[in-house]
Amino acid sequence: MREIDLVAEADVRARQYLTEIEGRPPFPTLAAREALTAFSEDLPSQGADPFETLNMLDVYGSPATTASNGPRYFGFVIGAALPGAAAVERLMLAWDQCASSYDNSPVAATIEKVAASWLLDILDLPRESAVGFGTSATACTLSCLSAARRSLLGRLGWDFDQDGLIGAPEIKVVVSETVHITVRKALRLLGFGMARLIEAPVDQYGRIDPRRLPALDERTILCLQAGEVNTGEFDPFAELIPVARAAGAWVHVDGAFGLWARASSRRSLTDGVDTADSWTTDGHKWLNTPYDGAMSICRDADALAQAMNSDAAYATASKDAQKNLTLEFSRRARGIPIWAALRTLGKAGVAEMVDRHCEQAAYLADRLRNSSLTVLNRVVLNQILVRGATDNETARVREAVIASHDGWFGPSIWRGQTAFRLSLSSWRTTNTDVARLADRLIAIARGQND
Ligand SMILES: *Cc1c(COP(=O)(O)O)cnc(C)c1O
């Protein structure tokens, strides 16, 4: 019974936390952060009481959380956790499934297959694709790029699994000048070498300029972006991908948040993206699922299954087991909260949420354009880049807004200029929250910090 009491107590505290989420400062106060010294204790030699441990986490931990699950967190593209997705996570904790294959967890394997097919449906990507549910877009990019290199080498007659990279034909990688840092990380981990990456020049919006696309061939991986992290812009897929495919290159698309535009009325921003070879996207950003849930999607299902294969001998019978589509072997059923998010929102709900955030971004940008602040991007999606008259003014405005608790957002640099970036991506953010942020930003920029 003690176990049940403990879980019930955790549930009471979790419910209390959520009840207060709207009133929490988006970033924890200095006092709350200083109180974290309570955790600086020695590892106890005898186990502590679990109720007391839970109490400690709540008393000192909860006030020091970043309220990214709340309505006024505008940093990065973090999203919140949809109730429908967060609730199934609670039940899944009780299940404690090792979701590596059907044999380990029939329920996880069955639901993740459904989630995979729904995902291909809502994002309108090739239905024959394999979908791996990994921890993050970073990890999923690593999986996709492994599959890409292994496939290109295979076409050249090189057995990557047996012979590795020493003596292999060189696979070149072309990335956007504005490629996300985590794609660089994945490439570095895979041994591509940062100095050997070929950067494709971008236009003023941060999109690869097709006229200046570096030469591609059958030994090239081209990495494109659906949703550049600063501007929310999309590479011109319909122009770039046919050129790449004709050259025999592999096209990978980083769509960590932006690929969800495809499920909304902004769909035309993604035209042609479905002709790529592989894609990564996150659940934990714009779909508003809990951490950590992301997807690697690969048109050639066998290419991903072979690259990520964990079985002693590659067996086609288990090619759709998640242990053969992700970096993980033992794993949580990350596809289940994604299934729950899609099921509880439906196609219309996803479209409505993405559209709402884009409209909120457009409203906020309009308000700011009529102030002394400068909006640096076109705001085609949910990202707004803002700058004051000087670097100091930009920093002052950001710090003063954060101190007001009307919003938290991060600094950025765009085309050599200091800026800050506002992301609209939480299901909890209402139009009132956005108006309140606009009022505060404008008042502070005017020099009134009331
Ligand atoms: C956040 C982000 C990533 C990395 O995603 P994680 O899930 O945090 O690993 C990659 N690309 C873009 C454009 C992103 O915004």
Side-chain angles (χ1 to χ4, degrees), residues 372-432:
S372 58
L373 296 166
T374 305
V375 175
L376 297 174
N377 66 328
R378 296 193 296 186
V379 192
V380 293
L381 204 66
N382 63 331
Q383 304 287 86
I384 312 172
L385 264 180
V386 186
R387 179 173 160 76
T390 62
D391 288 358
N392 282 344
E393 176 64 2
T394 309
R396 181 191 73 83
V397 170
R398 177 173 168 267
E399 281 154 24
V401 175
I402 290 172
S404 78
H405 295 167
D406 280 341
W408 192 95
F409 42 90
S412 193
I413 303 232
W414 177 244
R415 307 185 118 214
Q417 284 194 311
T418 304
F420 56 78
R421 189 178 61 206
L422 303 160
S423 299
L424 278 297
S425 63
S426 166
W427 71 269
R428 263 187 238 272
T429 302
T430 63
N431 292 347
T432 310

Side-chain angles (χ1 to χ4, degrees), residues 235-275:
D235 285 326
F237 306 117
E239 285 176 80
L240 296 170
I241 299 179
V243 174
R245 289 185 77 93
W250 180 290
V251 182
H252 175 73
V253 178
D254 171 16
F257 64 95
L259 207 53
W260 290 93
R262 199 158 169 80
S264 78
S265 67
R266 305 296 194 280
R267 178 187 162 100
S268 63
L269 291 167
T270 70
D271 279 352
V273 78
D274 52 322
T275 59

Side-chain angles (χ1 to χ4, degrees), residues 20-67:
E20 295 166 1
I21 190 76
E22 282 168 22
R24 287 184 183 279
F27 194 77
T29 63
L30 183 60
R33 284 179 278 143
E34 283 175 352
L36 287 169
T37 52
F39 293 104
S40 304
E41 48 179 12
D42 291 334
L43 171 64
S45 49
Q46 305 297 322
D49 179 67
F51 283 91
E52 187 267 324
T53 302
L54 177 66
N55 182 62
M56 178 184 183
L57 182 68
D58 192 26
V59 168
Y60 297 105
S62 294
T65 53
T66 299

Side-chain angles (χ1 to χ4, degrees), residues 68-407:
S68 52
N69 200 8
R72 294 189 309 285
Y73 189 85
F74 303 96
F76 312 105
V77 197
I78 283 215
L82 285 165
V88 302
E89 285 261 3
R90 285 270 247 278
L91 179 57
M92 277 170 57
L93 270 179
W95 289 359
D96 193 30
Q97 301 289 281
C98 176
S100 52
S101 66
Y102 187 91
D103 293 340
N104 272 354
S105 177
V107 62
T110 302
I111 298 174
E112 288 194 308
K113 251 191 198 177
V114 173
S117 85
W118 285 2
L119 197 75
L120 298 176
D121 181 0
I122 195 163
L123 296 178
D124 195 14
L125 294 175
R127 304 302 193 268
E128 70 273 21
S129 306
V131 180
F133 293 101
T135 49
S136 62
T138 306
C140 289
T141 298
L142 198 68
S143 312
C144 286
L145 294 175
S146 305
R149 177 168 63 189
R150 187 183 176 283
S151 294
L152 291 184
L153 286 174
R155 287 180 208 161
L156 296 166
W158 186 265
D159 185 340
F160 173 78
D161 293 342
Q162 292 306 315
D163 299 323
L165 284 175
I166 295 168
E170 181 178 351
I171 301 297
K172 292 179 301 172
V173 181
V174 176
V175 296
S176 166
E177 258 183 315
T178 59
V179 64
H180 196 266
I181 188 73
T182 60
V183 175
R184 282 191 202 272
K185 174 176 172 176
L187 289 164
R188 178 168 54 79
L189 292 176
L190 290 169
F192 280 104
M194 294 297 92
R196 302 180 88 90
L197 298 185
I198 302 164
E199 291 193 0
V202 298
D203 64 16
Q204 59 177 312
Y205 305 119
R207 308 174 302 176
I208 291 178
D209 179 354
R211 290 163 309 169
R212 293 184 289 159
L213 182 66
L216 308 172
D217 60 21
E218 71 288 351
R219 299 178 179 206
T220 314
I221 300 171
L222 173 64
C223 296
L224 303 180
Q225 304 193 84
E228 197 277 329
V229 75
N230 275 305
T231 60
E233 295 270 353
F234 294 71
D235 285 326
F237 306 117
E239 285 176 80
L240 296 170
I241 299 179
V243 174
R245 289 185 77 93
W250 180 290
V251 182
H252 175 73
V253 178
D254 171 16
F257 64 95
L259 207 53
W260 290 93
R262 199 158 169 80
S264 78
S265 67
R266 305 296 194 280
R267 178 187 162 100
S268 63
L269 291 167
T270 70
D271 279 352
V273 78
D274 52 322
T275 59
D277 296 285
S278 59
W279 306 261
T280 50
T281 192
D282 272 320
H284 55 220
K285 286 183 175 174
W286 217 348
L287 188 58
N288 279 246
T289 63
Y291 290 95
D292 34 29
M295 288 125 304
S296 22
I297 307 169
C298 189
R299 171 194 298 279
D300 178 351
D302 282 340
L304 185 62
Q306 288 168 6
M308 291 295 115
N309 172 39
S310 312
D311 291 336
Y314 176 66
T316 45
S318 59
K319 70 179 188 181
D320 54 4
Q322 283 292 318
K323 68 174 175 185
N324 292 331
L325 295 171
T326 60
L327 297 173
E328 293 77 23
F329 187 61
S330 305
R331 58 185 288 282
R332 288 195 307 124
R334 305 199 148 74
I336 294 183
I338 289 162
W339 162 82
L342 293 175
R343 191 167 194 278
T344 53
L345 287 175
K347 282 188 183 179
V350 173
E352 189 278 325
M353 181 169 72
V354 171
D355 282 340
R356 173 164 24 102
H357 293 143
C358 293
E359 280 149 28
Q360 288 175 339
Y363 161 83
L364 189 53
D366 276 345
R367 295 278 315 269
L368 300 184
R369 283 191 196 102
N370 292 314
S371 76
S372 58
L373 296 166
T374 305
V375 175
L376 297 174
N377 66 328
R378 296 193 296 186
V379 192
V380 293
L381 204 66
N382 63 331
Q383 304 287 86
I384 312 172
L385 264 180
V386 186
R387 179 173 160 76
T390 62
D391 288 358
N392 282 344
E393 176 64 2
T394 309
R396 181 191 73 83
V397 170
R398 177 173 168 267
E399 281 154 24
V401 175
I402 290 172
S404 78
H405 295 167
D406 280 341

